[in-house]
mmCIF file of all heavy atoms in Angstrom:
data_model
loop_
_atom_site.group_PDB
_atom_site.id
_atom_site.type_symbol
_atom_site.label_atom_id
_atom_site.label_comp_id
_atom_site.label_asym_id
_atom_site.label_seq_id
_atom_site.Cartn_x
_atom_site.Cartn_y
_atom_site.Cartn_z
ATOM 1 N N LEU A 261 -57.257 -9.129 -0.677
ATOM 2 C CA LEU A 261 -57.931 -8.999 -1.968
ATOM 3 C C LEU A 261 -57.082 -8.206 -2.958
ATOM 4 O O LEU A 261 -57.105 -8.481 -4.165
ATOM 5 C CB LEU A 261 -59.299 -8.347 -1.788
ATOM 6 C CG LEU A 261 -60.357 -9.227 -1.121
ATOM 7 C CD1 LEU A 261 -61.621 -8.429 -0.852
ATOM 8 C CD2 LEU A 261 -60.653 -10.450 -1.958
ATOM 9 N N THR A 262 -56.335 -7.237 -2.472
ATOM 10 C CA THR A 262 -55.424 -6.504 -3.354
ATOM 11 C C THR A 262 -54.344 -7.431 -3.900
ATOM 12 O O THR A 262 -54.033 -7.394 -5.091
ATOM 13 C CB THR A 262 -54.787 -5.319 -2.601
ATOM 14 O OG1 THR A 262 -55.821 -4.485 -2.090
ATOM 15 C CG2 THR A 262 -53.892 -4.502 -3.510
ATOM 16 N N LEU A 263 -53.791 -8.281 -3.047
ATOM 17 C CA LEU A 263 -52.788 -9.252 -3.500
ATOM 18 C C LEU A 263 -53.392 -10.212 -4.516
ATOM 19 O O LEU A 263 -52.763 -10.525 -5.538
ATOM 20 C CB LEU A 263 -52.202 -10.022 -2.321
ATOM 21 C CG LEU A 263 -51.118 -11.048 -2.669
ATOM 22 C CD1 LEU A 263 -49.859 -10.343 -3.169
ATOM 23 C CD2 LEU A 263 -50.799 -11.919 -1.480
ATOM 24 N N PHE A 264 -54.607 -10.673 -4.271
ATOM 25 C CA PHE A 264 -55.284 -11.565 -5.213
ATOM 26 C C PHE A 264 -55.471 -10.875 -6.564
ATOM 27 O O PHE A 264 -55.213 -11.468 -7.622
ATOM 28 C CB PHE A 264 -56.635 -11.998 -4.635
ATOM 29 C CG PHE A 264 -57.402 -12.923 -5.515
ATOM 30 C CD1 PHE A 264 -57.007 -14.232 -5.691
ATOM 31 C CD2 PHE A 264 -58.542 -12.472 -6.168
ATOM 32 C CE1 PHE A 264 -57.717 -15.091 -6.512
ATOM 33 C CE2 PHE A 264 -59.261 -13.317 -6.989
ATOM 34 C CZ PHE A 264 -58.845 -14.629 -7.161
ATOM 35 N N ALA A 265 -55.903 -9.613 -6.559
ATOM 36 C CA ALA A 265 -56.072 -8.858 -7.805
ATOM 37 C C ALA A 265 -54.736 -8.670 -8.517
ATOM 38 O O ALA A 265 -54.668 -8.748 -9.758
ATOM 39 C CB ALA A 265 -56.716 -7.503 -7.513
ATOM 40 N N GLN A 266 -53.666 -8.450 -7.765
ATOM 41 C CA GLN A 266 -52.357 -8.285 -8.373
ATOM 42 C C GLN A 266 -51.910 -9.568 -9.072
ATOM 43 O O GLN A 266 -51.365 -9.522 -10.178
ATOM 44 C CB GLN A 266 -51.332 -7.879 -7.315
ATOM 45 C CG GLN A 266 -51.545 -6.488 -6.797
ATOM 46 C CD GLN A 266 -50.751 -6.186 -5.547
ATOM 47 O OE1 GLN A 266 -50.502 -7.076 -4.732
ATOM 48 N NE2 GLN A 266 -50.366 -4.936 -5.378
ATOM 49 N N ILE A 267 -52.133 -10.706 -8.434
ATOM 50 C CA ILE A 267 -51.744 -11.985 -9.039
ATOM 51 C C ILE A 267 -52.548 -12.242 -10.310
ATOM 52 O O ILE A 267 -51.989 -12.641 -11.340
ATOM 53 C CB ILE A 267 -51.924 -13.130 -8.017
ATOM 54 C CG1 ILE A 267 -50.907 -12.979 -6.894
ATOM 55 C CG2 ILE A 267 -51.787 -14.491 -8.687
ATOM 56 C CD1 ILE A 267 -51.145 -13.900 -5.715
ATOM 57 N N ILE A 268 -53.853 -11.989 -10.262
ATOM 58 C CA ILE A 268 -54.704 -12.196 -11.439
ATOM 59 C C ILE A 268 -54.277 -11.275 -12.573
ATOM 60 O O ILE A 268 -54.160 -11.703 -13.730
ATOM 61 C CB ILE A 268 -56.191 -11.973 -11.080
ATOM 62 C CG1 ILE A 268 -56.661 -13.015 -10.079
ATOM 63 C CG2 ILE A 268 -57.071 -11.970 -12.322
ATOM 64 C CD1 ILE A 268 -56.595 -14.437 -10.565
ATOM 65 N N LEU A 269 -54.030 -9.998 -12.277
ATOM 66 C CA LEU A 269 -53.626 -9.060 -13.327
ATOM 67 C C LEU A 269 -52.262 -9.411 -13.910
ATOM 68 O O LEU A 269 -52.041 -9.245 -15.113
ATOM 69 C CB LEU A 269 -53.637 -7.634 -12.795
ATOM 70 C CG LEU A 269 -55.026 -7.052 -12.561
ATOM 71 C CD1 LEU A 269 -54.933 -5.665 -11.946
ATOM 72 C CD2 LEU A 269 -55.814 -7.003 -13.853
ATOM 73 N N LEU A 270 -51.340 -9.907 -13.088
ATOM 74 C CA LEU A 270 -50.053 -10.340 -13.628
ATOM 75 C C LEU A 270 -50.219 -11.550 -14.540
ATOM 76 O O LEU A 270 -49.576 -11.631 -15.591
ATOM 77 C CB LEU A 270 -49.073 -10.654 -12.505
ATOM 78 C CG LEU A 270 -48.281 -9.473 -11.990
ATOM 79 C CD1 LEU A 270 -47.494 -9.857 -10.753
ATOM 80 C CD2 LEU A 270 -47.347 -8.936 -13.046
ATOM 81 N N ALA A 271 -51.072 -12.486 -14.153
ATOM 82 C CA ALA A 271 -51.321 -13.650 -15.005
ATOM 83 C C ALA A 271 -51.952 -13.226 -16.334
ATOM 84 O O ALA A 271 -51.558 -13.714 -17.403
ATOM 85 C CB ALA A 271 -52.204 -14.653 -14.284
ATOM 86 N N LEU A 272 -52.914 -12.311 -16.275
ATOM 87 C CA LEU A 272 -53.521 -11.817 -17.510
ATOM 88 C C LEU A 272 -52.524 -11.033 -18.356
ATOM 89 O O LEU A 272 -52.515 -11.143 -19.585
ATOM 90 C CB LEU A 272 -54.737 -10.943 -17.187
ATOM 91 C CG LEU A 272 -55.952 -11.666 -16.618
ATOM 92 C CD1 LEU A 272 -57.016 -10.673 -16.191
ATOM 93 C CD2 LEU A 272 -56.502 -12.651 -17.623
ATOM 94 N N GLY A 273 -51.688 -10.242 -17.703
ATOM 95 C CA GLY A 273 -50.665 -9.497 -18.432
ATOM 96 C C GLY A 273 -49.667 -10.409 -19.107
ATOM 97 O O GLY A 273 -49.240 -10.160 -20.239
ATOM 98 N N LEU A 274 -49.287 -11.483 -18.417
ATOM 99 C CA LEU A 274 -48.386 -12.463 -19.027
ATOM 100 C C LEU A 274 -49.034 -13.146 -20.221
ATOM 101 O O LEU A 274 -48.391 -13.346 -21.262
ATOM 102 C CB LEU A 274 -47.957 -13.520 -18.005
ATOM 103 C CG LEU A 274 -46.742 -13.217 -17.169
ATOM 104 C CD1 LEU A 274 -46.547 -14.290 -16.104
ATOM 105 C CD2 LEU A 274 -45.500 -13.111 -18.027
ATOM 106 N N SER A 275 -50.285 -13.502 -20.090
ATOM 107 C CA SER A 275 -50.946 -14.186 -21.196
ATOM 108 C C SER A 275 -51.174 -13.253 -22.371
ATOM 109 O O SER A 275 -51.098 -13.665 -23.522
ATOM 110 C CB SER A 275 -52.269 -14.793 -20.738
ATOM 111 O OG SER A 275 -53.199 -13.782 -20.439
ATOM 112 N N LYS A 276 -51.436 -11.991 -22.109
ATOM 113 C CA LYS A 276 -51.702 -11.018 -23.171
ATOM 114 C C LYS A 276 -50.416 -10.579 -23.876
ATOM 115 O O LYS A 276 -50.400 -10.412 -25.076
ATOM 116 C CB LYS A 276 -52.396 -9.807 -22.556
ATOM 117 C CG LYS A 276 -53.098 -8.952 -23.522
ATOM 118 C CD LYS A 276 -54.478 -9.474 -23.741
ATOM 119 C CE LYS A 276 -55.326 -8.397 -24.335
ATOM 120 N NZ LYS A 276 -56.234 -8.918 -25.324
ATOM 121 N N SER A 277 -49.338 -10.396 -23.113
ATOM 122 C CA SER A 277 -48.088 -9.881 -23.679
ATOM 123 C C SER A 277 -47.151 -10.976 -24.162
ATOM 124 O O SER A 277 -46.158 -10.676 -24.807
ATOM 125 C CB SER A 277 -47.362 -9.023 -22.637
ATOM 126 O OG SER A 277 -48.139 -7.921 -22.280
ATOM 127 N N GLY A 278 -47.420 -12.200 -23.799
ATOM 128 C CA GLY A 278 -46.527 -13.287 -24.194
ATOM 129 C C GLY A 278 -45.633 -13.695 -23.042
ATOM 130 O O GLY A 278 -45.046 -12.861 -22.357
ATOM 131 N N PHE A 279 -45.531 -14.994 -22.837
ATOM 132 C CA PHE A 279 -44.764 -15.529 -21.713
ATOM 133 C C PHE A 279 -43.298 -15.680 -22.110
ATOM 134 O O PHE A 279 -42.975 -16.353 -23.071
ATOM 135 C CB PHE A 279 -45.331 -16.891 -21.304
ATOM 136 C CG PHE A 279 -44.691 -17.466 -20.082
ATOM 137 C CD1 PHE A 279 -45.121 -17.101 -18.833
ATOM 138 C CD2 PHE A 279 -43.634 -18.350 -20.193
ATOM 139 C CE1 PHE A 279 -44.529 -17.621 -17.698
ATOM 140 C CE2 PHE A 279 -43.034 -18.874 -19.067
ATOM 141 C CZ PHE A 279 -43.482 -18.509 -17.826
ATOM 142 N N THR A 280 -42.414 -15.019 -21.359
ATOM 143 C CA THR A 280 -40.974 -15.206 -21.516
ATOM 144 C C THR A 280 -40.389 -15.444 -20.129
ATOM 145 O O THR A 280 -41.025 -15.148 -19.112
ATOM 146 C CB THR A 280 -40.293 -13.977 -22.147
ATOM 147 O OG1 THR A 280 -40.433 -12.866 -21.270
ATOM 148 C CG2 THR A 280 -40.877 -13.642 -23.512
ATOM 149 N N ALA A 281 -39.188 -15.963 -20.090
ATOM 150 C CA ALA A 281 -38.546 -16.232 -18.805
ATOM 151 C C ALA A 281 -38.298 -14.934 -18.033
ATOM 152 O O ALA A 281 -38.446 -14.894 -16.805
ATOM 153 C CB ALA A 281 -37.244 -16.987 -19.012
ATOM 154 N N MET A 282 -37.928 -13.886 -18.731
ATOM 155 C CA MET A 282 -37.667 -12.606 -18.063
ATOM 156 C C MET A 282 -38.950 -12.038 -17.458
ATOM 157 O O MET A 282 -38.954 -11.547 -16.324
ATOM 158 C CB MET A 282 -37.064 -11.605 -19.043
ATOM 159 C CG MET A 282 -36.727 -10.267 -18.411
ATOM 160 S SD MET A 282 -35.549 -10.386 -17.065
ATOM 161 C CE MET A 282 -34.063 -10.651 -17.961
ATOM 162 N N ARG A 283 -40.046 -12.107 -18.194
ATOM 163 C CA ARG A 283 -41.317 -11.611 -17.659
ATOM 164 C C ARG A 283 -41.774 -12.451 -16.473
ATOM 165 O O ARG A 283 -42.325 -11.926 -15.507
ATOM 166 C CB ARG A 283 -42.381 -11.599 -18.741
ATOM 167 C CG ARG A 283 -42.189 -10.477 -19.729
ATOM 168 C CD ARG A 283 -43.310 -10.418 -20.719
ATOM 169 N NE ARG A 283 -43.095 -9.311 -21.633
ATOM 170 C CZ ARG A 283 -43.518 -9.281 -22.863
ATOM 171 N NH1 ARG A 283 -44.205 -10.301 -23.357
ATOM 172 N NH2 ARG A 283 -43.268 -8.247 -23.626
ATOM 173 N N ALA A 284 -41.556 -13.744 -16.539
ATOM 174 C CA ALA A 284 -41.926 -14.611 -15.414
ATOM 175 C C ALA A 284 -41.108 -14.253 -14.171
ATOM 176 O O ALA A 284 -41.638 -14.206 -13.058
ATOM 177 C CB ALA A 284 -41.720 -16.068 -15.785
ATOM 178 N N ALA A 285 -39.816 -13.981 -14.354
ATOM 179 C CA ALA A 285 -38.960 -13.607 -13.227
ATOM 180 C C ALA A 285 -39.367 -12.258 -12.647
ATOM 181 O O ALA A 285 -39.433 -12.088 -11.416
ATOM 182 C CB ALA A 285 -37.500 -13.586 -13.672
ATOM 183 N N VAL A 286 -39.660 -11.299 -13.501
ATOM 184 C CA VAL A 286 -40.080 -9.979 -13.035
ATOM 185 C C VAL A 286 -41.424 -10.077 -12.322
ATOM 186 O O VAL A 286 -41.626 -9.471 -11.260
ATOM 187 C CB VAL A 286 -40.142 -8.980 -14.213
ATOM 188 C CG1 VAL A 286 -40.840 -7.687 -13.811
ATOM 189 C CG2 VAL A 286 -38.749 -8.686 -14.721
ATOM 190 N N GLY A 287 -42.345 -10.844 -12.872
ATOM 191 C CA GLY A 287 -43.648 -11.023 -12.237
ATOM 192 C C GLY A 287 -43.535 -11.700 -10.884
ATOM 193 O O GLY A 287 -44.193 -11.308 -9.919
ATOM 194 N N THR A 288 -42.679 -12.712 -10.788
ATOM 195 C CA THR A 288 -42.472 -13.396 -9.516
ATOM 196 C C THR A 288 -41.857 -12.454 -8.486
ATOM 197 O O THR A 288 -42.282 -12.420 -7.326
ATOM 198 C CB THR A 288 -41.573 -14.626 -9.712
ATOM 199 O OG1 THR A 288 -42.180 -15.485 -10.680
ATOM 200 C CG2 THR A 288 -41.368 -15.373 -8.420
ATOM 201 N N GLY A 289 -40.892 -11.681 -8.899
ATOM 202 C CA GLY A 289 -40.286 -10.701 -7.991
ATOM 203 C C GLY A 289 -41.273 -9.651 -7.535
ATOM 204 O O GLY A 289 -41.271 -9.249 -6.366
ATOM 205 N N ALA A 290 -42.151 -9.214 -8.443
ATOM 206 C CA ALA A 290 -43.155 -8.211 -8.080
ATOM 207 C C ALA A 290 -44.143 -8.775 -7.063
ATOM 208 O O ALA A 290 -44.535 -8.081 -6.120
ATOM 209 C CB ALA A 290 -43.886 -7.720 -9.327
ATOM 210 N N ILE A 291 -44.524 -10.034 -7.212
ATOM 211 C CA ILE A 291 -45.462 -10.640 -6.266
ATOM 212 C C ILE A 291 -44.787 -10.867 -4.909
ATOM 213 O O ILE A 291 -45.411 -10.675 -3.854
ATOM 214 C CB ILE A 291 -46.042 -11.945 -6.838
ATOM 215 C CG1 ILE A 291 -47.018 -11.599 -7.957
ATOM 216 C CG2 ILE A 291 -46.732 -12.779 -5.782
ATOM 217 C CD1 ILE A 291 -48.191 -10.747 -7.527
ATOM 218 N N ILE A 292 -43.533 -11.269 -4.913
ATOM 219 C CA ILE A 292 -42.807 -11.424 -3.641
ATOM 220 C C ILE A 292 -42.713 -10.080 -2.919
ATOM 221 O O ILE A 292 -42.938 -9.995 -1.705
ATOM 222 C CB ILE A 292 -41.420 -12.051 -3.880
ATOM 223 C CG1 ILE A 292 -41.582 -13.507 -4.312
ATOM 224 C CG2 ILE A 292 -40.535 -11.936 -2.644
ATOM 225 C CD1 ILE A 292 -40.301 -14.151 -4.806
ATOM 226 N N PHE A 293 -42.399 -9.017 -3.656
ATOM 227 C CA PHE A 293 -42.351 -7.677 -3.075
ATOM 228 C C PHE A 293 -43.720 -7.280 -2.536
ATOM 229 O O PHE A 293 -43.839 -6.729 -1.431
ATOM 230 C CB PHE A 293 -41.873 -6.661 -4.123
ATOM 231 C CG PHE A 293 -41.889 -5.246 -3.641
ATOM 232 C CD1 PHE A 293 -40.872 -4.763 -2.839
ATOM 233 C CD2 PHE A 293 -42.930 -4.390 -3.981
ATOM 234 C CE1 PHE A 293 -40.889 -3.454 -2.384
ATOM 235 C CE2 PHE A 293 -42.958 -3.089 -3.529
ATOM 236 C CZ PHE A 293 -41.935 -2.615 -2.735
ATOM 237 N N SER A 294 -44.762 -7.568 -3.304
ATOM 238 C CA SER A 294 -46.108 -7.222 -2.884
ATOM 239 C C SER A 294 -46.509 -7.969 -1.612
ATOM 240 O O SER A 294 -47.138 -7.393 -0.718
ATOM 241 C CB SER A 294 -47.099 -7.542 -4.009
ATOM 242 O OG SER A 294 -48.395 -7.226 -3.616
ATOM 243 N N PHE A 295 -46.129 -9.230 -1.510
ATOM 244 C CA PHE A 295 -46.450 -9.999 -0.303
ATOM 245 C C PHE A 295 -45.685 -9.462 0.905
ATOM 246 O O PHE A 295 -46.231 -9.379 2.006
ATOM 247 C CB PHE A 295 -46.142 -11.482 -0.512
ATOM 248 C CG PHE A 295 -46.566 -12.339 0.629
ATOM 249 C CD1 PHE A 295 -47.906 -12.567 0.884
ATOM 250 C CD2 PHE A 295 -45.628 -12.907 1.476
ATOM 251 C CE1 PHE A 295 -48.306 -13.343 1.956
ATOM 252 C CE2 PHE A 295 -46.019 -13.686 2.551
ATOM 253 C CZ PHE A 295 -47.359 -13.904 2.793
ATOM 254 N N ALA A 296 -44.440 -9.068 0.702
ATOM 255 C CA ALA A 296 -43.661 -8.478 1.797
ATOM 256 C C ALA A 296 -44.295 -7.165 2.259
ATOM 257 O O ALA A 296 -44.397 -6.900 3.464
ATOM 258 C CB ALA A 296 -42.221 -8.251 1.356
ATOM 259 N N MET A 297 -44.755 -6.346 1.303
ATOM 260 C CA MET A 297 -45.420 -5.099 1.674
ATOM 261 C C MET A 297 -46.746 -5.363 2.357
ATOM 262 O O MET A 297 -47.135 -4.630 3.264
ATOM 263 C CB MET A 297 -45.645 -4.218 0.437
ATOM 264 C CG MET A 297 -44.372 -3.622 -0.121
ATOM 265 S SD MET A 297 -43.502 -2.594 1.080
ATOM 266 C CE MET A 297 -42.226 -3.674 1.644
ATOM 267 N N LEU A 298 -47.441 -6.433 1.964
ATOM 268 C CA LEU A 298 -48.688 -6.804 2.635
ATOM 269 C C LEU A 298 -48.431 -7.034 4.110
ATOM 270 O O LEU A 298 -49.166 -6.537 4.969
ATOM 271 C CB LEU A 298 -49.278 -8.060 1.994
ATOM 272 C CG LEU A 298 -50.561 -8.609 2.598
ATOM 273 C CD1 LEU A 298 -51.429 -9.190 1.505
ATOM 274 C CD2 LEU A 298 -50.299 -9.655 3.646
#
């Protein structure tokens, strides 16, 4: 559930702050790191 909340918050953060390639890459890396820590 923590991973699910992280994915939802990243999607909302991307939509609120504006989608760029750099933000998408950082968000993807953060989720990969989060899954590894899970």
Side-chain angles (χ1 to χ4, degrees):
L261 288 174
T262 303
L263 181 68
F264 181 72
Q266 290 167 328
I267 292 170
I268 295 298
L269 288 176
L270 273 172
L272 291 173
L274 272 174
S275 68
K276 198 86 161 142
S277 298
F279 185 84
T280 64
M282 182 60 75
R283 286 185 179 151
V286 168
T288 303
I291 288 300
I292 291 170
F293 176 80
S294 179
F295 185 70
M297 289 301 101
L298 178 145

